[in-house]
Amino acid sequence: MWGGATAANQCEGAWLADGKGPSIEDHLTGGTHTTPRTYTRTIDPNTYYPSHESVDFYGHFREDIKLFGEMGMKIFRTSINWSRIYSVGDEAEPNAAGVEFYREMFQCCKDNGIEPLVTISHYEIPMGLCEKYGGWRDRRCVDFYLNLCRTIFTEYKGLVKHWLTFNEINMLQNGGMGAVIAGGILPKNDVEPMMFVDTHTTEELNDIYTALHHQFLASAKAVKLAHEIDPNNMVGCMIGGGPSLYPYTCNPADVLACQKKLQVGTWLCSDVQCRGAYPGYALRFFSDNNIDVPMLDGDDTILAEGCVDMYTYSYYMTNCVSTDPEVAKSQGNMMLGVPNPYLKLSDWGWAIDPDGLRWSLNEVWDRYQLPIMVVENGFGAVDERGEDGKFHDDYRIDYFRSHIKAMDEAIGDGVNLIAYTTWGCIDIVSAGTGEMKKRYGYIYVDKDNDGNGDLHREPKDSYWWYKKVIASNGEDLD
């Protein structure tokens, strides 16, 4: 299945429309490549918050999905904005207007020959749950999440059968911005720049892995519930980056350090969700770092009975791991590793590595033997009009061409890859920087970093190219 991907908080807008409450993303300001986004506990009327309008998919979804259908997309990944259905998060009854919005949107997908792929929680925890309960640190959030799941699994039975429980669940482990948007763990300060961090206190680690454990339980229970409500449902995990690290050198110390970072940063989350138990290296990591995961009687059974049906992940770049202090000073994008000297970088410092996609697909398939979806893959760039008034984004086409070739090689290796949804198919707000300038879409949306623009849509060259790719099932890449 060929398609594209978005997230509600990055495209919908209408942040307080029709009974919707604020989500954590609604409290993040815009930023740039060099200036981090800022969390503000109180909304400042003189400050720009990109999610408040975004690209107004809420008001344009019929137009946008029609364009997706005309392109030939077979699958569209989007997400539920939790606070659109439960404005605070702990209500007993859902917001009817929010339920109907998504029903209409999913029906529109079906009418255009597109299968919805729905992420249940994509950095969109209601602010009410953050403020009242401390986010996912509180075990009660498991039940609130299950209440949401029960509503959407029941309401959209027959319209949606592919679900993802948590977007990039392992991003919570990065702390800082990851702990805020993925875990709902609010900063201690009312105004704080949002950045990923690579060191944590014992208290922070315990907060992170308590929240993560509760998300594991919620995911496992959601899988079981989804199968009970509709046996046709397929539920997947969603891992940020997949295995996307290399040792910087063949020094055994670098190789071991890379293995450890992959184990804890990538495999821990997918091992629990795909295999149903914490692996031994995770228990060693907890012991070495004085982390006390709040495991209660019966939790191990819940995890074992709630394994996912498929593995999905995002893939944009790779980084390296080095034990050399001087080399390690050169941090890669979002401080997730050391830049690879053999790879070219995008304008935002993301290493372009199609061979790494083939490698990662093989690693995932060999480990789990589950159907795989690549549900985010894309190239952020500044798109400028040509002299003829059109957008000639050959650089984006080149990026996708090389990655599609890599996926074809992986399928030849025996990998069961069932879907590919590029990020973000239409221009949306960048999650990391809050920019519109950093564009990913095949479809241009007229809006700039300051929120100016009339929001009209128009296809870029990559739109017509991807339409040809889909029609040929990836055979015609010229």
Side-chain angles (χ1 to χ4, degrees):
M1 295 182 285
W2 299 87
T6 62
N9 73 82
Q10 292 169 258
C11 70
E12 278 183 8
W15 77 292
L16 292 179
D18 300 324
K20 180 187 173 298
S23 76
I24 185 64
E25 281 282 349
D26 294 326
H27 287 254
L28 298 188
T29 69
T32 68
H33 177 38
T34 55
T35 304
R37 305 183 72 178
T38 298
Y39 161 82
T40 68
R41 198 177 195 103
T42 301
I43 299 297
D44 181 349
N46 299 315
T47 299
Y48 176 52
Y49 297 84
S51 69
H52 290 190
E53 183 186 48
S54 189
V55 297
D56 191 27
F57 182 74
Y58 191 79
H60 291 75
F61 74 87
R62 292 181 180 85
E63 172 190 355
D64 293 342
I65 292 172
K66 184 173 185 289
L67 282 168
F68 299 160
E70 290 173 349
M71 181 196 279
M73 279 173 46
K74 303 303 180 188
I75 187 168
F76 171 48
R77 179 187 173 218
T78 187
S79 65
I80 296 287
N81 205 323
W82 190 342
S83 60
R84 195 174 294 285
I85 294 184
Y86 289 94
S87 61
V88 175
D90 61 358
E91 297 94 339
E93 298 297 327
N95 171 31
V99 171
E100 289 309 307
F101 165 71
Y102 289 110
R103 191 192 315 281
E104 291 179 19
M105 194 250 283
F106 298 148
Q107 184 61 58
C108 186
C109 287
K110 291 287 192 178
D111 293 344
N112 283 274
I114 300 171
E115 187 73 27
L117 168 63
V118 180
T119 310
I120 301 167
S121 179
H122 190 135
Y123 304 157
E124 285 144 348
I125 182 172
M127 272 297 288
L129 296 185
C130 302
E131 293 178 328
K132 293 175 67 175
Y133 303 94
W136 278 99
R137 289 173 295 184
D138 193 308
R139 196 180 179 100
R140 286 173 289 184
C141 282
V142 175
D143 290 333
F144 300 143
Y145 177 88
L146 263 290
N147 196 33
L148 170 68
C149 289
R150 187 172 291 104
T151 297
I152 61 180
F153 292 160
T154 302
E155 293 286 347
Y156 309 132
K157 182 178 180 180
L159 282 175
V160 180
K161 66 179 180 180
H162 293 97
W163 304 90
L164 307 179
T165 54
F166 291 92
N167 177 70
E168 295 183 332
I169 190 170
N170 53 326
M171 287 297 105
L172 203 165
Q173 296 170 271
N174 289 327
M177 185 177 186
V180 173
I181 62 176
I185 302 172
L186 297 181
K188 294 179 180 179
N189 300 317
D190 287 348
V191 178
E192 188 163 314
M194 286 287 94
M195 300 176 65
F196 291 107
V197 296
D198 56 358
T199 58
H200 308 92
T201 66
T202 300
E203 179 185 1
E204 289 169 340
L205 285 172
N206 274 281
D207 282 347
I208 287 169
Y209 285 97
T210 293
L212 193 60
H213 179 65
H214 294 154
Q215 290 188 354
F216 289 152
L217 295 174
S219 176
K221 287 187 172 187
V223 171
K224 193 171 182 179
L225 180 63
H227 293 160
E228 290 171 356
I229 291 176
D230 187 350
N232 293 315
N233 279 333
M234 286 187 67
V235 186
C237 62
M238 199 297 205
I239 305 298
S244 57
L245 292 171
Y246 304 126
Y248 190 73
T249 71
C250 55
N251 182 335
D254 283 358
V255 176
L256 182 60
C258 185
Q259 181 188 55
K260 287 180 177 294
K261 193 159 187 176
L262 278 171
Q263 283 178 332
V264 175
T266 296
W267 297 129
L268 190 161
C269 290
S270 52
D271 279 353
V272 173
Q273 292 184 285
C274 297
R275 293 174 169 173
Y278 281 96
Y281 61 78
L283 303 180
R284 168 71 184 271
F285 173 75
F286 296 155
S287 176
D288 288 348
N289 290 277
N290 298 312
I291 298 170
D292 183 18
V293 176
M295 181 79 74
L296 302 184
D297 289 343
D299 283 2
D300 53 349
T301 301
I302 293 171
L303 297 178
E305 292 179 348
C307 294
V308 295
D309 305 308
M310 57 188 180
Y311 182 107
T312 83
Y313 73 110
S314 58
Y315 182 89
Y316 294 99
M317 60 183 173
T318 53
N319 286 309
C320 297
V321 177
S322 174
T323 54
D324 184 329
E326 290 301 313
V327 174
K329 289 179 181 178
S330 176
Q331 291 283 4
N333 184 269
M334 296 187 291
M335 300 194 303
L336 299 182
V338 175
N340 191 324
Y342 295 96
L343 299 175
K344 294 181 179 179
L345 304 179
S346 75
D347 290 340
W348 274 264
W350 296 43
I352 301 170
D353 183 13
D355 288 337
L357 178 55
R358 178 184 179 182
W359 173 78
S360 67
L361 284 165
N362 273 275
E363 289 291 296
V364 171
W365 175 246
D366 290 347
R367 194 175 187 94
Y368 300 119
Q369 298 286 295
L370 290 173
I372 301 171
M373 295 182 177
V374 176
V375 293
E376 288 185 30
N377 175 237
F379 186 74
V382 177
D383 294 333
E384 297 180 347
R385 289 187 186 277
E387 294 181 359
D388 59 358
K390 298 180 180 180
F391 292 98
H392 304 295
D393 54 341
D394 292 344
Y395 40 86
R396 184 168 291 110
I397 293 172
D398 290 342
Y399 177 93
F400 284 126
R401 180 186 291 116
S402 63
H403 285 74
I404 291 171
K405 287 180 178 178
M407 291 190 295
D408 184 52
E409 293 291 345
I411 292 170
D413 295 333
V415 173
N416 184 18
L417 178 63
I418 65 171
Y420 176 59
T421 60
T422 62
W423 189 262
C425 68
I426 187 170
D427 288 346
I428 57 179
V429 174
S430 167
T433 65
E435 294 176 288
M436 282 299 300
K437 178 181 178 181
K438 185 183 181 184
R439 298 180 182 272
Y440 283 91
Y442 303 116
I443 300 168
Y444 172 81
V445 178
D446 186 51
K447 189 172 184 180
D448 64 20
N449 276 5
D450 298 318
N452 303 309
D454 64 9
L455 298 176
H456 82 267
R457 276 69 163 150
E458 63 183 282
K460 308 171 190 175
D461 282 359
S462 57
Y463 176 95
W464 307 108
W465 175 83
Y466 195 46
K467 179 176 182 176
K468 181 175 59 174
V469 171
I470 297 172
S472 67
N473 195 30
E475 293 294 327
D476 188 352
L477 299 177
D478 294 332

